[in-house]
Amino acid sequence: MHFGSCRCENQNNTFYSQIFKLVLPIVIQNLLSAAVSSADVLMLNYVGQASISAVSLASQYASVLFMVFYGLGTGATMLCAQYYGKGDMQAIRVIEGIAMRFSLAIAILFAGAALIFPEGMMQIFTNDRELIEIGASYLRFMSVSYLCWGITEVYLAILRSIGRVTISTAMNVLAFSLNILLNAVFIFGLFGLPKLGAMGVAIATSLSRLIELAACFVVSYFSKDIKLEFRYLFVKNKILFSDFVRLSLPALGNDVSWGVAFSMYSVILGHMGTDAVAANSFVVVVRNFGTILCFGMASAGTILVGKTIGENRLEEAREDAKRIVRLTVITGAIGGLIVLAVMPFALKYAALTEQAMEYLKYMLLINVYYVMGTAINTTLIAGVFRAGGDSRFGFICDTVDMWCYAVPLGFFAAFVLKLPVMWVYFLLCTDEFVKWPWVIRHYRSGKWLNNITRDNLFSDE
């Protein structure tokens, strides 16, 4: 009996040691990502409310694109983590090429649209002429960053899937640090350069993404196994392609469906006035800091549980999932406290109108508890379930929740009932809690736990 308890304690210690090694670099990476968004808003705060609002709306396209790349990345991670546990590096290289094909196609589509009709893209979010003009100039220069992002995000996701989160984090540290520095240079016209305002944010982002891509090629050159090589794009394997489409594309569909629906919140608020948009711009930044630990836990959970399943240790994977969920409850509570702690500073330093400040205050209070709903759902749907090869449940759950409940409710409340801004925002923020019963029931059923690897993939080659 004593031996059994010691073994269990050793397993716990090993798990927490592994999860900490994975979560810490991912949290640093997410922290820097949130810092870039904060820097954009804080610096544009000195340019004017119109610039903040325009960049906030135009950035919804980057948010959707992030969801596309995140979906492709986690979809690839879902397969790669299990194949890494199985020890099949050749399969991982093929999956990298497949994921890259999809990400490049989508990046080219977004970059082309941003370059050719940015005004039309802005008109979806607002009918304010000033915001459209500022946002259009921002989108034109962002088109370069979309292309670079489509390549780096997949490569770094593959590195994370095999546990090399430190390299991935180092690349993001480089890009995000440069982004903040270049933001200041181009927004305020340092070193004799012209003051470019909102356009400067886009130029800084594109330059930092280009440098990050170059750094990825340098890392790839010295890597012994997983390289960033475009020849992977042309490697074909029908079985892996079929598995990627069947397992990874629902993850992509899930994140895109959720991301586009979440952007609809900005469409709703965008047509309720610039005060609501400006307040929400600050709220998004603060909420990003509050959810850093949650997203880190989801990413680490996918890698760790996926690897364990690939090694065919299913019961141990189930126990690891339980530990991750317990940790998520704690990180969700910490996230809510972070939002609460940042609130006085946001209210003190935000240069907004009196009405926008009033919105900001109550929006932040709502997000104190909203973070917990996001934490549980993200860890289970985007972490634990995907680690077990179950991306279909999340796709159906989020699509129904967002498109049949939250978005219609928001439009109905805003434009039919014509409720005040804060009531509309409160109703929109019920989306995470509505799906809790289904998500938790699916987790307890254990139907998500599957070994999705295959044997003899390359036996005919």
Side-chain angles (χ1 to χ4, degrees):
M1 196 71 182
H2 177 68
F3 174 75
S5 64
C6 284
R7 187 174 64 179
C8 184
E9 187 177 335
N10 287 335
Q11 285 177 343
N12 275 335
N13 291 339
T14 302
F15 168 81
Y16 289 118
S17 171
Q18 288 177 329
I19 202 78
F20 180 76
K21 286 176 183 176
L22 289 172
V23 167
L24 184 61
I26 294 170
V27 164
I28 292 170
Q29 181 179 321
N30 292 346
L31 183 63
L32 284 163
S33 177
V36 171
S37 300
S38 308
D40 289 352
V41 173
L42 289 173
M43 292 179 193
L44 288 173
N45 189 43
Y46 293 97
V47 178
Q49 183 168 309
S51 291
I52 294 175
S53 299
V55 170
S56 172
L57 293 175
S59 294
Q60 294 306 310
Y61 289 103
S63 298
V64 172
L65 203 52
F66 169 76
M67 287 299 165
V68 171
F69 296 147
Y70 182 79
L72 284 170
T74 56
T77 298
M78 180 168 55
L79 283 159
C80 290
Q82 290 204 19
Y83 276 109
Y84 183 61
K86 192 181 179 69
D88 191 340
M89 300 304 289
Q90 189 175 357
I92 293 172
R93 286 189 279 271
V94 174
I95 293 163
E96 179 188 343
I98 296 168
M100 197 76 76
R101 276 179 238 161
F102 284 100
S103 69
L104 272 175
I106 295 164
I108 289 168
L109 183 68
F110 269 74
L115 200 59
I116 299 166
F117 12 75
E119 289 88 359
M121 292 170 75
M122 284 301 298
Q123 284 169 358
I124 293 172
F125 290 103
T126 182
N127 48 16
D128 187 301
R129 200 61 238 165
E130 184 184 8
L131 297 189
I132 290 171
E133 287 176 8
I134 295 171
S137 67
Y138 170 88
L139 284 170
R140 280 195 190 94
F141 283 96
M142 279 295 288
S143 58
V144 176
S145 76
Y146 296 160
L147 288 172
C148 298
W149 201 10
I151 300 168
T152 59
E153 194 64 26
V154 169
Y155 180 62
L156 296 180
I158 301 297
L159 289 179
R160 285 193 294 270
S161 73
I162 62 172
R164 295 187 187 167
V165 290
T166 306
I167 296 173
S168 172
T169 300
M171 294 298 98
N172 286 137
V173 166
L174 173 67
F176 296 148
S177 302
L178 277 170
N179 201 340
I180 293 172
L181 176 64
L182 293 173
N183 268 347
V185 170
F186 291 115
I187 290 173
F188 301 120
L190 304 180
F191 309 114
L193 292 170
K195 293 182 180 180
L196 299 174
M199 193 192 302
V201 175
I203 295 172
T205 302
S206 291
L207 279 174
S208 61
R209 288 289 179 192
L210 272 169
I211 294 168
E212 181 188 32
L213 178 59
C216 283
F217 278 112
V218 172
V219 168
S220 168
Y221 180 78
F222 292 102
S223 177
K224 292 180 181 178
D225 38 40
I226 302 302
K227 293 183 175 290
L228 177 53
E229 293 186 357
F230 291 120
R231 65 186 176 91
Y232 293 163
L233 289 166
F234 308 103
V235 177
K236 294 182 179 179
N237 186 289
K238 289 181 180 179
I239 296 172
L240 281 176
F241 184 81
S242 173
D243 283 349
F244 186 88
V245 170
R246 180 173 57 88
L247 298 167
S248 298
L249 290 195
L252 169 61
N254 184 179
D255 291 335
V256 172
S257 175
W258 185 89
V260 173
F262 205 73
S263 293
M264 289 298 106
Y265 294 8
S266 294
V267 172
I268 294 166
L269 293 173
H271 287 85
M272 297 186 79
T274 57
D275 287 331
V277 174
N280 191 49
S281 302
F282 277 88
V283 170
V284 168
V285 169
V286 176
R287 185 173 59 231
N288 285 345
F289 279 104
T291 55
I292 282 169
L293 276 171
C294 315
F295 281 100
M297 195 61 63
S299 298
T302 307
I303 297 164
L304 192 57
V305 176
K307 181 175 178 290
T308 306
I309 294 171
E311 293 168 351
N312 221 29
R313 294 183 286 136
L314 301 186
E315 279 308 311
E316 191 174 326
R318 192 190 300 272
E319 289 303 312
D320 285 351
K322 287 180 183 177
R323 296 183 186 107
I324 287 168
V325 171
R326 285 197 290 268
L327 286 172
T328 298
V329 173
I330 296 169
T331 58
I334 292 170
L337 291 173
I338 289 171
V339 173
L340 198 60
V342 172
M343 189 173 163
F345 299 97
L347 293 173
K348 183 177 180 180
Y349 294 108
L352 303 178
T353 65
E354 187 177 341
Q355 182 63 74
M357 291 294 282
E358 185 75 4
Y359 291 155
L360 177 61
K361 175 182 171 183
Y362 290 105
M363 284 178 175
L364 287 172
L365 284 172
I366 288 169
N367 276 274
V368 170
Y369 67 82
Y370 185 71
V371 167
M372 178 60 81
T374 304
I376 298 293
N377 289 326
T378 300
T379 297
L380 287 175
I381 291 174
V384 171
F385 295 169
R386 290 183 188 178
D390 184 359
S391 53
R392 187 169 171 268
F393 173 83
F395 176 49
I396 295 169
C397 181
D398 277 337
T399 300
V400 171
D401 176 54
M402 296 299 276
W403 291 104
C404 298
Y405 170 75
V407 173
L409 178 64
F411 276 102
F412 183 73
F415 306 120
V416 177
L417 298 180
K418 299 189 184 300
L419 294 178
V421 168
M422 285 318 307
W423 274 107
V424 173
Y425 188 80
F426 169 76
L427 290 172
L428 288 171
C429 288
T430 59
D431 64 311
E432 294 288 354
F433 300 97
V434 166
K435 63 188 177 190
W436 258 17
W438 286 272
V439 172
I440 292 169
R441 186 175 69 177
H442 188 68
Y443 163 69
R444 288 176 174 168
S445 74
K447 292 177 181 177
W448 52 271
L449 188 58
N450 306 286
N451 187 330
I452 54 176
T453 61
R454 294 177 183 266
D455 297 317
N456 306 316
L457 278 169
F458 307 99
S459 56
D460 297 331
E461 296 180 8

